[in-house]
Amino acid sequence: MEKRIFSAVLISIGLLWLWAAVAPRLFPDLMKRPVPAASTLVPETTPPRPAPTAAASTSTTATAAATPLGQAQPPGAAPIAAVPVGGSQLTESIVDAPNFVARFSNRGATLVSFQLKNYQAKDGSQVELVKARDAGRTDFPFAIESSDANVSRKANSALYQVNDRTESGTRILEYRFSDGSLSVTKTFRISSQYLFHYEVAVSPSTAYRIAIGPGIRTLEREEKDSQFIITGNGVVQRDDSLKVVAREKADKTSLLGTVQYVGIEDNYFLSVLRPDKPSVGVIHAIDVPAGAKNDLRRELYAAVNAGPDGQLAGSAFFGPKETYTLDQYGLEKTLQFGMFGIIARFLLVGLTAINKYTHNYGFAIIVLTILIKIVLYPLQHKWIVSMKKMQKMQPKMEAIKARYKKAKTDPDQRQKMNADMMKLYQQEGINPAGGCLPFALQVPILWGFYNLLSHAIELRHAPFILWIHDLSAKDPYYITPLLMMITMFIQQAMTPTTGDAMQKRMFYIMPLVMGWIFKELPSGVVLYYLMQNVLTILQQLIMNKFWKDQPAET
């Protein structure tokens, strides 16, 4: 039995180590590329643009020279003006919906800002899903990428005429540009939903595509430095099968074939383009400066090709990866909870239900841990009883081993010894594999909790108490990992042993290994495991007294 328990422990540690430490580092970005001649994006250390400080109006008007693109403008009260084709007026149309504020510029008829009202960055500003850019850039979402550089330059730098109206609760922004040789029309239909509709037409017909990106948003420092946070991977769904394009390994240009949708994601947010008609999707990459040391970071664009008639229509989603929201829009596969996704979704349902009463996800985790402990109690009880029996029959096991002193080198003796051991287990009513199950069950639950806390936006920035302000981030002072290690030592000291010296050493090394692994994991995961240890200690105290009073009971 000892070997089976050791195997289960080692496998658990190996899986956790691979998951928490090794896997994120298997494919580092080793390719160092020269810094582009011109900066394309604001470095990642640039803070997100602040949210509007006043109620957003329907439009703003300013001169192009006075208002560089990529910077948030304070909302104004001036009505939108008719902009002559080729004129000098730069305008922004602001769509103030219940859950977001979207800003469209008539410079290229692009989306220059999409702020989520219900989600904040660390500095308290609203989450911005359009990455900050250097002034003058024109590669905002819904910019045109054409094989003809002249078409791209004209379409993305021109000032479009705007027809801004509302019909049946839907905001319609119609942009038109024509210089006699090129005509472009873009129409956006936006309601209160995160999903909105777009239509693009270019005449004369030419090969082009509509792109979003690069990346999905400006990262905070903590997110940039974390090895557990997905930051700007590509996603594409074809034939109801989702594929993730890793940001670090993406090619300069990847033709994806006919797609259902294509986009960019991080752990908590998503932006996608979904064409109405079968269209070819594209993901392409650029390398941009990512700090003061001239480090480079690969960023992705997601795009959809227009049809041969020069027209393209579809829907776009810019928003949070909320479980029920993604289910509503058919984007549920982008919420990836990993190998044990079913367990993670079950835990999420349980936590959100409990949180309605606790109003604190930390206490919800504690309550859910107690419920899980109750469900697993029979197995844990059986394991402790089995270990007690193993401890009691240790002299008989040692006697069998003494009869087969050459078992380590003689296969025949080892086989006979194992047969005698199994006979002894049967006589004593012990299942040698029974003790492995509690350990094995912890791995999928821990994995589910980790993926839940790393990807469920419902728990993003969820505070607990005192120094833990974000259950989805690591404990900044490593207090909970230390407490987890201490409780593991206490638990191991109370656990019945068979007297094997190697087993004792393994049991006392394991808390150190687990503490090292868990110190960088979300504090909510550590809280779950800490509570599991505390409850197991209480259970063992009761069982030790129970066994003392009734040693013959099973």
Side-chain angles (χ1 to χ4, degrees):
M1 178 175 178
E2 296 94 330
K3 291 183 179 180
R4 293 176 182 270
I5 293 177
F6 292 150
S7 298
V9 173
L10 291 174
I11 290 172
S12 300
I13 293 175
L15 287 173
L16 287 170
W17 180 263
L18 179 65
W19 147 48
V22 179
R25 301 176 184 175
L26 286 178
F27 305 104
D29 188 2
L30 299 177
M31 299 298 290
K32 296 298 182 182
R33 302 173 179 83
V35 179
S39 175
T40 55
L41 296 177
V42 177
E44 293 295 352
T45 52
T46 301
R49 288 169 287 184
T53 56
S57 65
T58 59
S59 63
T60 60
T61 305
T63 63
T67 311
L69 290 174
Q71 298 179 359
Q73 293 180 321
I80 212 163
V83 181
V85 176
S88 60
Q89 291 275 313
L90 176 66
T91 68
E92 280 192 357
S93 297
I94 302 176
V95 180
D96 192 350
N99 295 320
F100 60 86
V101 176
R103 293 169 175 260
F104 291 84
S105 172
N106 74 322
R107 171 80 73 187
T110 54
L111 177 66
V112 296
S113 174
F114 200 99
Q115 295 181 338
L116 302 179
K117 291 183 176 181
N118 300 323
Y119 298 96
Q120 284 73 43
K122 288 289 187 180
D123 62 1
S125 63
Q126 295 174 351
V127 167
E128 172 62 77
L129 293 187
V130 176
K131 186 181 288 290
R133 287 156 170 77
D134 286 339
R137 297 298 304 178
T138 59
D139 59 340
F140 286 90
F142 299 100
I144 287 178
E145 297 178 349
S146 174
S147 56
D148 186 337
N150 191 46
V151 170
S152 298
R153 179 185 59 79
K154 284 185 179 181
N156 296 332
S157 61
L159 296 178
Y160 286 59
Q161 185 177 11
V162 186
N163 181 0
D164 185 349
R165 62 188 187 275
T166 300
E167 296 180 3
S168 302
T170 298
R171 185 77 170 274
I172 301 175
L173 303 176
E174 187 177 43
Y175 294 91
R176 294 182 179 275
F177 162 76
S178 178
D179 64 354
S181 61
L182 176 69
S183 296
V184 181
T185 302
K186 296 183 184 180
T187 304
F188 301 95
R189 302 175 187 273
I190 309 145
S191 63
S192 60
Q193 305 295 317
Y194 291 113
L195 195 74
F196 59 91
H197 195 264
Y198 65 88
E199 297 174 11
V200 183
V202 176
S203 179
S205 177
T206 184
Y208 76 92
R209 59 197 180 205
I210 293 295
I212 57 175
I216 188 169
R217 59 192 176 97
T218 301
L219 300 177
E220 301 175 31
R221 183 183 62 82
E222 295 84 358
E223 294 175 313
K224 179 185 173 185
D225 296 338
S226 174
Q227 61 178 311
F228 301 108
I229 295 179
I230 299 170
T231 54
N233 283 351
V235 290
V236 56
Q237 181 163 306
R238 293 173 296 187
D239 300 323
D240 295 324
S241 177
L242 184 77
K243 177 183 178 181
V244 177
V245 180
R247 175 181 56 80
E248 300 92 337
K249 300 190 299 180
D251 297 329
K252 286 292 186 179
T253 301
S254 299
L255 295 176
L256 305 172
T258 302
V259 301
Q260 292 170 290
Y261 61 78
V262 61
I264 312 293
E265 69 166 359
D266 64 14
N267 284 48
Y268 302 111
F269 303 99
L270 176 72
S271 59
V272 301
L273 296 175
R274 185 166 65 190
D276 287 344
K277 298 179 180 180
S279 300
V280 173
V282 179
I283 286 181
H284 63 93
I286 61 172
D287 297 309
V288 300
K293 297 181 180 179
N294 288 332
D295 294 332
L296 296 180
R297 174 183 173 84
R298 175 149 285 195
E299 294 286 5
L300 304 184
Y301 292 84
V304 177
N305 286 357
D309 59 355
Q311 297 189 17
L312 176 63
S315 55
F317 176 89
F318 283 74
K321 294 169 74 173
E322 297 170 339
T323 305
Y324 301 115
T325 299
L326 296 181
D327 290 346
Q328 176 185 355
Y329 299 136
L331 302 170
E332 64 279 356
K333 292 185 178 180
T334 61
L335 187 57
Q336 303 155 56
F337 283 136
M339 183 187 304
F340 299 104
I342 294 178
I343 294 177
R345 281 183 174 258
F346 172 80
L347 295 173
L348 178 58
V349 171
L351 283 176
T352 52
I354 296 170
N355 187 62
K356 293 179 181 179
Y357 301 96
T358 63
H359 304 290
N360 183 302
Y361 274 107
F363 290 116
I365 289 175
I366 293 175
V367 173
L368 184 59
T369 305
I370 295 173
L371 295 177
I372 292 174
K373 191 67 176 178
I374 292 173
V375 172
L376 297 180
Y377 171 80
L379 293 174
Q380 190 75 25
H381 174 86
K382 187 175 182 179
W383 174 71
I384 294 176
V385 170
S386 178
M387 291 299 292
K388 284 286 189 180
K389 287 186 175 182
M390 289 285 291
Q391 187 179 37
K392 185 178 179 181
M393 61 180 276
Q394 185 64 29
K396 297 180 181 179
M397 296 173 62
E398 292 297 331
I400 293 175
K401 292 179 181 179
R403 292 203 304 266
Y404 300 97
K405 296 181 179 180
K406 297 182 180 180
K408 292 184 179 180
T409 58
D410 188 338
D412 291 336
Q413 282 205 5
R414 184 165 59 252
Q415 184 176 1
K416 292 179 180 179
M417 184 185 73
N418 291 336
D420 286 351
M421 286 288 190
M422 290 301 299
K423 184 177 180 180
L424 178 62
Y425 290 149
Q426 292 175 358
Q427 291 174 350
E428 298 292 336
I430 297 175
N431 181 2
C436 302
L437 192 57
F439 289 103
L441 285 176
Q442 285 298 324
V443 175
I445 294 175
L446 282 172
W447 202 314
F449 254 112
Y450 167 72
N451 283 313
L452 171 66
L453 289 159
S454 300
H455 295 84
I457 197 169
E458 290 86 349
L459 276 73
R460 175 182 177 267
H461 292 177
F464 182 33
I465 57 174
L466 301 176
W467 69 95
I468 299 180
H469 305 295
D470 185 357
L471 288 166
S472 66
K474 70 178 182 180
D475 186 330
Y477 305 112
Y478 302 110
I479 295 175
T480 49
L482 180 61
L483 292 175
M484 188 196 79
M485 289 174 55
I486 293 172
T487 55
M488 285 192 72
F489 276 116
I490 297 173
Q491 180 184 339
Q492 299 296 359
M494 296 175 62
T495 300
T497 63
T498 61
D500 187 273
M502 180 176 293
Q503 179 184 3
K504 290 182 178 179
R505 285 196 296 270
M506 284 294 300
F507 277 178
Y508 283 107
I509 289 174
M510 190 167 68
L512 299 175
V513 175
M514 296 289 282
W516 177 259
I517 294 174
F518 273 61
K519 70 182 181 66
E520 299 297 328
L521 297 188
S523 56
V525 178
V526 184
L527 177 62
Y528 163 75
Y529 205 78
L530 172 61
M531 284 305 303
Q532 276 284 347
N533 291 344
V534 171
L535 294 172
T536 301
I537 290 171
L538 294 176
Q539 180 181 350
Q540 287 183 336
L541 285 172
I542 297 172
M543 282 296 300
N544 288 346
K545 185 178 188 318
F546 173 81
W547 190 269
K548 179 180 178 181
D549 295 339
Q550 304 180 46
E553 295 290 333
T554 60

